[in-house]
Amino acid sequence: MAHAAPAPGGTSRPGGTPEIAARESGRRPRPPDVFDERTHRIAHIAVPVVLGLVYGYWVAADSRQGGAITGGNLLLGWLSALVFAVVCIALLTLAPRMPREVHALLWTAFTGIAFGFVYVQTGHSVWRSAMMSLIVAGCTFATFFYRYYTREDAFGHRVR
């Protein structure tokens, strides 16, 4: 079956399609923002808190190594969750204001330290925990530096 192809700027869209208009102007169209500003503010706090609770549970579960749940174990889990959430919120607030290299290093240090702390709770040696943490931190730095290098200019402004 043969069908007629719609012509650009036809009667269905008097101004042309948004894709053609975006190509002509040289700018990429921004995706629609589904959530309002209030939702973003709430998520800016809620996501690190939920991640902190998961991290605290993970630390507590690894430190007890299948044994009984104790008060010290619960305290370790809650303190780990609190520190993780506070540092994560601080990084989400402060890191975007830094140059891309420092931005990547801050997230690298956070990821490496958080992973190393969980890993040492499993009973492995400090040496092995440090080496595994450095490997994770190295991969994190490579990923984040590439991301920030390709999406920011030298002054830390996002390139759209």
Side-chain angles (χ1 to χ4, degrees):
M1 297 183 139
H3 295 283
T11 58
S12 63
R13 294 187 182 206
T17 61
E19 295 83 15
I20 293 174
R23 268 186 277 160
E24 290 171 358
S25 70
R27 294 181 58 193
R28 294 187 325 185
R30 290 186 63 190
D33 195 5
V34 179
F35 302 113
D36 62 349
E37 185 62 33
R38 179 176 176 263
T39 306
H40 283 287
R41 281 193 317 268
I42 292 171
H44 188 75
I45 301 297
V47 170
V49 168
V50 170
L51 289 175
L53 290 173
V54 170
Y55 182 79
Y57 174 76
W58 189 10
V59 168
D62 280 351
S63 77
R64 70 183 178 96
Q65 298 179 356
I69 298 174
T70 63
N73 186 259
L74 289 174
L75 181 64
L76 176 67
W78 283 109
L79 287 177
S80 299
L82 178 69
V83 169
F84 185 93
V86 167
V87 172
C88 190
I89 290 169
L91 279 176
L92 286 172
T93 304
L94 298 176
R97 299 177 186 161
M98 304 292 173
R100 59 185 173 208
E101 295 85 4
V102 177
H103 193 171
L105 278 174
L106 288 172
W107 281 107
T108 298
F110 175 68
T111 305
I113 291 168
F115 179 81
F117 185 69
V118 167
Y119 198 79
V120 81
Q121 299 300 318
T122 60
H124 291 291
S125 69
V126 174
W127 175 254
R128 182 171 175 175
S129 299
M131 289 299 110
M132 293 297 290
S133 179
L134 286 174
I135 290 170
V136 169
C139 294
T140 302
F141 179 74
T143 302
F144 281 177
F145 183 76
Y146 175 77
R147 181 179 187 275
Y148 300 140
Y149 190 79
T150 57
R151 288 178 172 78
E152 293 179 355
D153 62 5
F155 303 105
H157 302 106
R158 289 187 178 173
V159 178
R160 299 234 183 238

